[in-house]
Amino acid sequence: MNSLKSILPPGGLLSLDSGEALFESGATGSVWMLEAGALRLDRVDSGAAQFSQIVLSGDLVGLEVLASHRYGYTARAIVPCELRPRLLPTDDERRLALVAGLMQWQRRSSDLIALRSGSAQDRLKHLLVLLTPEGAAPGGHGAHCALPTIRDMAAIIDTAPETVSRIFANLKRARIVDGRRRQGASYSLAHLREADWPVGMTRSNGLLRLALAQA
């Protein structure tokens, strides 16, 4: 896993490719604002990284350093990201950042419940909605969105990579997701939200089940 390689000027913008680490658990550094993209936070136990939370555009990450703690997680980009260090020189600014972080953690905790409960297909749907950029066109096909690797998506929604692959294959055949590539796909956010994904999309015969459900 790569680590943060460059030192930015104050307020500078950092770009990370998918798979690059912003920081490692146990290191020290700055509070960051994620301006675009998505990160996964992992706890490292006995050398193994275990998914703990997702960070989305507009979120703060690394707030534990304001309490003079080291980073409690490893933060890694799951799609291309842009981040900016937050300079918080005054007590008032730090307090406001901590309040914002508390509200953010409540939202992401709700998301985590949705990402870890229900059917695998519902968990994947919630993840795709979360990862769709705000500026993406709500209707029609053709809005291309960067996506994590199959392995990252499986870790986030707590299922096997093979299950994620089967769901995507059936979504593509059903034209809910169009033109999926290794780390991206085109799809309509409105269609994604409104589509009724029948039981069985995790199976190899999911397309047949979809056709029967729509008959």
Side-chain angles (χ1 to χ4, degrees), residues 143-209:
H144 183 78
C145 300
L147 293 179
T149 63
I150 291 291
R151 186 174 297 276
D152 274 332
M153 285 190 281
I156 292 169
I157 68 171
D158 193 24
T159 192
E162 294 79 9
T163 299
V164 176
S165 294
R166 283 195 293 269
I167 296 173
F168 266 111
N170 284 312
L171 291 177
K172 184 175 179 180
R173 294 188 189 104
R175 299 184 180 179
I176 295 174
V177 170
D178 199 26
R180 183 187 173 277
R181 291 185 290 277
R182 181 175 179 271
Q183 286 191 248
S186 298
Y187 54 84
S188 159
L189 181 58
H191 194 188
L192 188 68
R193 283 174 167 159
E194 295 167 3
D196 183 17
W197 297 12
V199 174
M201 294 291 279
T202 59
R203 300 179 184 177
S204 58
N205 62 345
L207 182 60
L208 174 60
R209 292 172 178 268

Side-chain angles (χ1 to χ4, degrees), residues 1-213:
M1 180 184 296
N2 294 327
S3 59
L4 182 61
K5 298 184 293 293
S6 58
I7 299 175
L8 296 177
L13 190 66
L14 172 70
S15 295
L16 292 179
D17 291 330
S18 181
E20 286 192 291
L22 174 64
F23 53 72
E24 303 280 353
S25 176
T28 59
S30 304
V31 176
W32 293 85
M33 168 72 79
L34 179 60
E35 299 202 352
L39 302 165
R40 60 177 283 178
L41 300 183
D42 293 320
R43 285 203 178 276
V44 180
D45 184 20
S46 301
Q50 182 176 6
F51 172 77
S52 295
Q53 189 54 278
I54 192 169
V55 180
L56 301 175
S57 180
D59 287 353
L60 295 169
V61 63
L63 283 167
E64 56 265 48
V65 302
L66 297 182
S68 300
H69 293 299
R70 295 178 180 273
Y71 292 128
Y73 303 87
T74 291
R76 181 168 61 82
I78 54 174
V79 296
C81 291
E82 291 186 345
L83 303 105
R84 197 178 302 275
R86 283 292 305 271
L87 305 179
L88 302 166
T90 70
D91 288 342
D92 284 343
E93 288 174 304
R94 287 190 284 272
R95 278 194 293 268
L96 287 173
L98 287 170
V99 171
L102 175 61
M103 300 302 293
Q104 168 190 314
W105 198 257
Q106 291 175 337
R107 293 193 303 272
R108 295 296 162 250
S109 294
S110 295
D111 287 328
L112 189 61
I113 292 171
L115 291 168
R116 289 301 183 100
S117 60
S119 68
Q121 62 202 47
D122 286 341
R123 301 197 302 270
L124 182 60
K125 177 191 284 191
H126 189 76
L127 179 61
L128 294 180
V129 170
L130 288 178
L131 292 174
T132 305
E134 290 184 5
H141 284 285
H144 183 78
C145 300
L147 293 179
T149 63
I150 291 291
R151 186 174 297 276
D152 274 332
M153 285 190 281
I156 292 169
I157 68 171
D158 193 24
T159 192
E162 294 79 9
T163 299
V164 176
S165 294
R166 283 195 293 269
I167 296 173
F168 266 111
N170 284 312
L171 291 177
K172 184 175 179 180
R173 294 188 189 104
R175 299 184 180 179
I176 295 174
V177 170
D178 199 26
R180 183 187 173 277
R181 291 185 290 277
R182 181 175 179 271
Q183 286 191 248
S186 298
Y187 54 84
S188 159
L189 181 58
H191 194 188
L192 188 68
R193 283 174 167 159
E194 295 167 3
D196 183 17
W197 297 12
V199 174
M201 294 291 279
T202 59
R203 300 179 184 177
S204 58
N205 62 345
L207 182 60
L208 174 60
R209 292 172 178 268
L210 178 62
L212 292 173

